[in-house]
PDB file of all heavy atoms in Angstrom:
ATOM      1  N   GLU A  51      70.397 101.132 123.003  1.00 57.00           N
ATOM      2  CA  GLU A  51      69.321 101.474 122.033  1.00 57.00           C
ATOM      3  C   GLU A  51      68.688 102.800 122.347  1.00 57.00           C
ATOM      4  O   GLU A  51      67.892 103.302 121.693  1.00 57.00           O
ATOM      5  CB  GLU A  51      68.264 100.386 122.088  1.00 57.00           C
ATOM      6  CG  GLU A  51      68.763  99.131 121.448  1.00 57.00           C
ATOM      7  CD  GLU A  51      67.801  97.985 121.642  1.00 57.00           C
ATOM      8  OE1 GLU A  51      66.678  98.220 122.134  1.00 57.00           O
ATOM      9  OE2 GLU A  51      68.134  96.865 121.288  1.00 57.00           O
ATOM     10  N   GLN A  79      66.847  95.340 105.843  1.00 45.00           N
ATOM     11  CA  GLN A  79      65.947  96.081 106.722  1.00 45.00           C
ATOM     12  C   GLN A  79      66.557  96.343 108.089  1.00 45.00           C
ATOM     13  O   GLN A  79      67.499  95.715 108.491  1.00 45.00           O
ATOM     14  CB  GLN A  79      64.678  95.252 106.943  1.00 45.00           C
ATOM     15  CG  GLN A  79      63.880  95.139 105.618  1.00 45.00           C
ATOM     16  CD  GLN A  79      62.484  94.720 105.937  1.00 45.00           C
ATOM     17  OE1 GLN A  79      61.815  95.256 106.810  1.00 45.00           O
ATOM     18  NE2 GLN A  79      61.950  93.741 105.167  1.00 45.00           N
ATOM     19  N   GLY A  80      66.002  97.322 108.783  1.00 45.00           N
ATOM     20  CA  GLY A  80      66.506  97.661 110.098  1.00 45.00           C
ATOM     21  C   GLY A  80      66.159  96.565 111.070  1.00 45.00           C
ATOM     22  O   GLY A  80      65.453  95.589 110.758  1.00 45.00           O
ATOM     23  N   SER A  81      66.666  96.724 112.285  1.00 46.00           N
ATOM     24  CA  SER A  81      66.394  95.699 113.294  1.00 46.00           C
ATOM     25  C   SER A  81      64.990  95.695 113.737  1.00 46.00           C
ATOM     26  O   SER A  81      64.461  94.669 114.202  1.00 46.00           O
ATOM     27  CB  SER A  81      67.357  95.922 114.552  1.00 46.00           C
ATOM     28  OG  SER A  81      67.114  97.180 115.047  1.00 46.00           O
ATOM     29  N   GLY A  82      64.328  96.864 113.565  1.00 47.00           N
ATOM     30  CA  GLY A  82      62.920  96.905 113.853  1.00 47.00           C
ATOM     31  C   GLY A  82      62.516  96.835 115.332  1.00 47.00           C
ATOM     32  O   GLY A  82      61.397  96.726 115.638  1.00 47.00           O
ATOM     33  N   ASN A  83      63.492  97.031 116.267  1.00 47.00           N
ATOM     34  CA  ASN A  83      63.202  97.000 117.647  1.00 47.00           C
ATOM     35  C   ASN A  83      63.455  98.249 118.378  1.00 47.00           C
ATOM     36  O   ASN A  83      63.412  98.383 119.547  1.00 47.00           O
ATOM     37  CB  ASN A  83      63.903  95.838 118.354  1.00 47.00           C
ATOM     38  CG  ASN A  83      65.410  96.030 118.264  1.00 47.00           C
ATOM     39  OD1 ASN A  83      65.876  97.036 117.760  1.00 47.00           O
ATOM     40  ND2 ASN A  83      66.157  95.114 118.863  1.00 47.00           N
ATOM     41  N   PHE A  84      63.820  99.318 117.616  1.00 49.00           N
ATOM     42  CA  PHE A  84      64.096 100.595 118.250  1.00 49.00           C
ATOM     43  C   PHE A  84      62.797 101.310 118.602  1.00 49.00           C
ATOM     44  O   PHE A  84      62.598 101.827 119.646  1.00 49.00           O
ATOM     45  CB  PHE A  84      64.953 101.456 117.370  1.00 49.00           C
ATOM     46  CG  PHE A  84      65.445 102.698 118.060  1.00 49.00           C
ATOM     47  CD1 PHE A  84      66.540 102.694 118.932  1.00 49.00           C
ATOM     48  CD2 PHE A  84      64.704 103.838 117.969  1.00 49.00           C
ATOM     49  CE1 PHE A  84      66.960 103.830 119.557  1.00 49.00           C
ATOM     50  CE2 PHE A  84      65.100 105.051 118.626  1.00 49.00           C
ATOM     51  CZ  PHE A  84      66.282 105.025 119.430  1.00 49.00           C
ATOM     52  N   ARG A 235      67.022 104.047 109.778  1.00 81.00           N
ATOM     53  CA  ARG A 235      67.855 102.825 109.981  1.00 81.00           C
ATOM     54  C   ARG A 235      67.214 101.751 110.765  1.00 81.00           C
ATOM     55  O   ARG A 235      67.352 100.570 110.503  1.00 81.00           O
ATOM     56  CB  ARG A 235      69.109 103.208 110.763  1.00 81.00           C
ATOM     57  CG  ARG A 235      70.072 104.028 109.869  1.00 81.00           C
ATOM     58  CD  ARG A 235      71.316 104.412 110.683  1.00 81.00           C
ATOM     59  NE  ARG A 235      72.089 105.335 109.912  1.00 81.00           N
ATOM     60  CZ  ARG A 235      73.277 105.731 110.259  1.00 81.00           C
ATOM     61  NH1 ARG A 235      73.782 105.363 111.412  1.00 81.00           N
ATOM     62  NH2 ARG A 235      73.951 106.556 109.523  1.00 81.00           N
ATOM     63  N   GLU A 236      66.376 102.147 111.712  1.00 78.00           N
ATOM     64  CA  GLU A 236      65.799 101.148 112.630  1.00 78.00           C
ATOM     65  C   GLU A 236      64.422 100.608 112.127  1.00 78.00           C
ATOM     66  O   GLU A 236      63.981  99.589 112.610  1.00 78.00           O
ATOM     67  CB  GLU A 236      65.601 101.730 114.054  1.00 78.00           C
ATOM     68  CG  GLU A 236      66.918 102.195 114.652  1.00 78.00           C
ATOM     69  CD  GLU A 236      67.860 101.066 114.908  1.00 78.00           C
ATOM     70  OE1 GLU A 236      67.412  99.931 115.048  1.00 78.00           O
ATOM     71  OE2 GLU A 236      69.066 101.286 114.940  1.00 78.00           O
ATOM     72  N   GLU A 237      63.813 101.327 111.261  1.00 75.00           N
ATOM     73  CA  GLU A 237      62.442 100.879 110.941  1.00 75.00           C
ATOM     74  C   GLU A 237      62.078 101.076 109.497  1.00 75.00           C
ATOM     75  O   GLU A 237      61.280 100.253 108.941  1.00 75.00           O
ATOM     76  CB  GLU A 237      61.464 101.667 111.794  1.00 75.00           C
ATOM     77  CG  GLU A 237      60.028 101.154 111.561  1.00 75.00           C
ATOM     78  CD  GLU A 237      59.149 101.349 112.765  1.00 75.00           C
ATOM     79  OE1 GLU A 237      59.551 101.159 113.903  1.00 75.00           O
ATOM     80  OE2 GLU A 237      57.977 101.630 112.563  1.00 75.00           O
ATOM     81  N   ARG A 239      63.547 101.173 106.362  1.00 68.00           N
ATOM     82  CA  ARG A 239      64.398 100.942 105.124  1.00 68.00           C
ATOM     83  C   ARG A 239      63.507 100.495 103.968  1.00 68.00           C
ATOM     84  O   ARG A 239      63.849 100.523 102.857  1.00 68.00           O
ATOM     85  CB  ARG A 239      65.496  99.939 105.442  1.00 68.00           C
ATOM     86  CG  ARG A 239      66.540 100.659 106.314  1.00 68.00           C
ATOM     87  CD  ARG A 239      67.754  99.827 106.563  1.00 68.00           C
ATOM     88  NE  ARG A 239      68.716 100.623 107.270  1.00 68.00           N
ATOM     89  CZ  ARG A 239      69.874 100.128 107.630  1.00 68.00           C
ATOM     90  NH1 ARG A 239      70.210  98.913 107.289  1.00 68.00           N
ATOM     91  NH2 ARG A 239      70.758 100.896 108.278  1.00 68.00           N
TER      92      ARG A 239
END
Side-chain angles (χ1 to χ4, degrees):
E51 290 172 8
Q79 292 199 46
S81 61
N83 64 0
F84 187 86
R235 288 180 187 185
E236 300 295 335
E237 183 153 323
R239 288 185 175 182

